[in-house]
Structure formats: structure tokens, C-alpha cells
């Protein structure tokens, strides 16, 4: 009873033929999951925020709070 000889030639090619399609498929799945799980909700949140954002109103609020050194509040 003897042990089978280990495969010495073509081992890398055989393993790559098995693992490369799996790695490629998993990377595609991860990219699609990131796009629809992270970037699309983020883009929607930014769009919703800027629909109601008024830059002039924010500037006036910051000016009245005294944040800017170059612009004095209306009360002074």
C-alpha cells in the first residue's frame, strides 16, 4: 500500500482555474452591494438635504452668531 504521488506540475494553473472565477464573482457582488448599500443612499441623502438648503439663510445665521471676523453682526 503506497501513498499517491503529489501533483507537482500544473498545480498553480489548476488552483487558479478554480479560485479565479470565484474571486471575480465575489468582487462583483461586493462592488454592487457597496454601490446600492452605501453610495446610492448617500447620494439620496445629499439630494434631500440640498433640496431644502438655503445658503443665504445659513450665512445670515452664522453672521448673527458672530462666526465671521470680516462681517459684523447686524446688532453691532
Amino acid at each position: 500500500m503506497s501513498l499517491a504521488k503529489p501533483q507537482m506540475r500544473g498545480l498553480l494553473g489548476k488552483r487558479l482555474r478554480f479560485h479565479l472565477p470565484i474571486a471575480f464573482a465575489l468582487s462583483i457582488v461586493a462592488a454592487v452591494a457597496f454601490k446600492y448599500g452605501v453610495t446610492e443612499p448617500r447620494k439620496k441623502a445629499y439630494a434631500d438635504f440640498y433640496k431644502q438648503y438655503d445658503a443665504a439663510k445659513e450665512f445670515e445665521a452664522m453672521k448673527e452668531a458672530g462666526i465671521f471676523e470680516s462681517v459684523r453682526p447686524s446688532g453691532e
Side-chain angles (χ1 to χ4, degrees):
M1 182 170 190
S2 65
L3 294 174
K5 289 187 176 181
Q7 181 182 3
M8 301 301 278
R9 293 180 187 258
L11 186 60
L12 177 63
K14 183 179 178 186
R15 290 185 62 84
L16 279 178
R17 274 192 297 274
F18 178 75
H19 287 103
L20 200 59
I22 293 171
F24 185 72
L26 288 176
S27 67
I28 295 294
V29 167
V32 168
F34 186 80
K35 177 174 173 43
Y36 290 107
V38 175
T39 59
E40 291 298 322
R42 186 178 293 171
K43 284 178 11 182
K44 185 182 180 311
Y46 274 101
D48 292 343
F49 175 78
Y50 282 110
K51 279 180 189 173
Q52 301 167 356
Y53 182 71
D54 185 12
K57 184 175 130 187
E58 287 293 321
F59 171 73
E60 289 299 323
M62 288 187 280
K63 184 174 89 171
E64 295 303 320
I67 293 176
F68 303 117
E69 293 179 5
S70 61
V71 181
R72 297 209 177 257
S74 299
E76 287 187 21

